Amino acid sequence: MKTYLKKNKFLSISVVILIVMVIVDYTYAVIALEKTLDQLVTMLLIVPPIFVLIGLFDVWVPRETVIKHMGENSKLKGLLLAFFIGAFSAGPTIAAFPIAMMMLKKGAKYSNVFFFLMVWSSLKLPIVLFQVTTIGLKLSLIINLSMLFIFLVGVALTDKIFTKEEINDIETKAIEYSKA
Amino acid sequence: MGLETYIIYIVTIVLLVVSFFKSKEKTVRGLKKGVKTFLKILPILIPLFLFVGIILALVTPEFISNSLGESSGIFGIAFGLVIGSITFMSPFVAYPLGVELLENGAAYPQIAGFLVTLMSVGVVYFAAESKFFSKKAAIVRNLISFIGALIVIVIVSVMY
């Protein structure tokens, strides 16, 4: 029981908060559960094609191709590809994690995958268009150019921040993840 | 569902049909892999959604507009950054909310900081991200985005 609670911290904390909510004011608990269901439904509507694409990618795209275009020696091309895949996408960041794992498994360079994740989280094209129409061009430009700049700095520093072993560990996890 | 969702569905269906005609066996194998990958992510997702649901019940748009609208200066900026980092909100709710707050007199830097961290810093995703990659990878990615938010705040403070 103890190890189970430790392993599922999120679940344990959530359940405790829910119980407190029921005691204090149960309408909060109802809203919380409704929002949970909402997210689940949205997820089930949006992500199935993403996982179909991950599966198709796995069987059709050979490792050599990914290594050539996004691997260690892919240079600018790999970075651009990472950018475009991240920008022309839809879905919450959590849906990007399995895609990133698939890229790593197929031999993509870690800094490229890292860049892809960051672009997905904040520079998705549909969102950027919506951003411009709401908060205006000026503020959108400041936000997106600053973020792009700091992401590129992050990419440039990846090899300094992470040791070879740390990156190898992540790659091993990626291979394990797509196995069983 | 937005337009991009329909586009992804259409692209997926087209690719699936092409794949099926090229090799039935490979397509079935690919689909099986996709389903497996999805099932593997579910045990991580469901507790996460429960947690996010709780946050959404507590940190409502009204709560945010009350807090961000009133508090100003460094405190307001810090508040915007913290709320943005821990909450999770659809961009289609967040940006109109940002505009509304600005129209009601909120300052640009705190709204900019709030919007940037809201999109790119995901403390709620932290556990999942650590499980997929590593704790360090999750920390570094969130930290880089957080520094990005600080840069945005500085530029916005100068420009507005």
Side-chain angles (χ1 to χ4, degrees):
Chain A
M1 184 68 187
K2 222 178 185 176
T3 48
Y4 180 82
L5 286 181
K6 260 197 171 165
K7 258 191 166 175
N8 295 280
K9 272 187 217 136
F10 255 109
L11 196 59
S12 330
I13 296 170
S14 307
V15 170
V16 171
I17 299 175
L18 276 177
I19 293 172
V20 174
M21 279 176 158
V22 170
I23 297 167
V24 177
D25 181 352
Y26 76 95
T27 49
Y28 280 114
V30 174
I31 297 172
L33 290 176
E34 272 174 15
K35 300 273 183 194
T36 305
L37 200 66
D38 260 9
Q39 292 177 74
L40 210 60
V41 171
T42 315
M43 186 80 183
L44 291 178
L45 281 176
I46 294 178
V47 302
I50 295 179
F51 286 93
V52 171
L53 290 177
I54 291 177
L56 289 180
F57 185 85
D58 198 10
V59 292
W60 284 111
V61 184
R63 197 177 145 83
E64 297 73 44
T65 314
V66 180
I67 291 178
K68 192 177 154 212
H69 295 286
M70 288 185 81
E72 211 51 58
N73 300 314
S74 59
K75 297 196 177 93
L76 189 65
K77 194 163 126 205
L79 205 61
L80 283 174
L81 252 175
F83 179 83
F84 283 114
I85 302 172
F88 288 91
S89 61
T93 309
I94 195 105
F97 295 160
I99 301 176
M101 291 308 249
M102 175 58 59
M103 288 177 175
L104 285 172
K105 180 206 157 190
K106 293 273 183 180
K109 194 178 173 187
Y110 183 64
S111 63
N112 286 338
V113 176
F114 203 53
F115 187 53
F116 156 77
L117 274 178
M118 294 192 282
V119 170
W120 178 301
S121 76
S122 43
L123 298 173
K124 279 193 295 279
L125 203 66
I127 307 293
V128 169
L129 290 176
F130 183 70
Q131 201 183 25
V132 174
T133 58
T134 49
I135 60 173
L137 187 63
K138 188 178 166 193
L139 193 54
S140 303
L141 271 179
I142 296 175
I143 290 178
N144 294 322
L145 290 179
S146 308
M147 294 314 275
L148 188 61
F149 168 76
I150 192 77
F151 291 163
L152 287 173
V153 171
V155 167
L157 293 178
T158 307
D159 288 335
K160 299 228 164 31
I161 301 171
F162 296 96
T163 63
K164 275 228 163 67
E165 291 83 55
E166 281 169 342
I167 293 179
N168 277 340
D169 283 349
I170 296 173
E171 283 166 355
T172 317
K173 262 192 190 173
I175 293 166
E176 289 290 314
Y177 177 72
S178 77
K179 245 187 205 163
Chain B
M1 281 208 295
L3 180 67
E4 71 274 10
T5 313
Y6 291 106
I7 296 174
I8 289 193
Y9 264 95
I10 293 167
V11 170
T12 306
I13 290 167
V14 170
L15 286 177
L16 207 56
V17 170
V18 173
S19 169
F20 192 79
F21 277 110
K22 272 192 148 181
S23 162
K24 204 173 148 185
E25 182 263 321
K26 266 190 169 182
T27 309
V28 172
R29 196 146 50 91
L31 282 176
K32 272 189 187 160
K33 282 224 168 190
V35 172
K36 261 188 201 157
T37 316
F38 182 60
L39 290 180
K40 260 193 180 171
I41 198 181
L42 273 185
I44 303 175
L45 278 187
I46 289 170
L48 183 71
F49 282 169
L50 194 60
F51 192 73
V52 175
I54 290 171
I55 290 181
L56 286 174
L58 295 174
V59 188
T60 56
E62 296 81 55
F63 172 82
I64 292 169
S65 49
N66 284 338
S67 328
L68 281 186
E70 283 164 18
S71 43
S72 55
I74 294 286
F75 180 74
I77 290 175
F79 197 77
L81 286 172
V82 171
I83 294 286
S85 300
I86 56 171
T87 13
F88 176 84
M89 200 184 278
S90 153
F92 300 105
V93 176
Y95 288 109
L97 175 67
V99 173
E100 196 192 305
L101 291 174
L102 288 172
E103 281 168 357
N104 288 326
Y108 270 89
Q110 65 201 56
I111 300 300
F114 166 68
L115 289 175
V116 172
T117 47
L118 191 62
M119 291 301 118
S120 50
V121 182
V123 175
V124 281
Y125 285 149
F126 188 79
E129 197 170 351
S130 307
K131 258 183 211 164
F132 273 111
F133 308 97
S134 71
K135 219 171 223 164
K136 186 173 174 184
I139 293 174
V140 171
R141 194 187 69 81
N142 282 294
L143 200 62
I144 288 175
S145 300
F146 194 80
I147 296 170
L150 294 178
I151 295 177
V152 169
I153 287 174
V154 171
I155 298 178
V156 169
S157 303
V158 175
M159 304 261 286
Y160 283 89

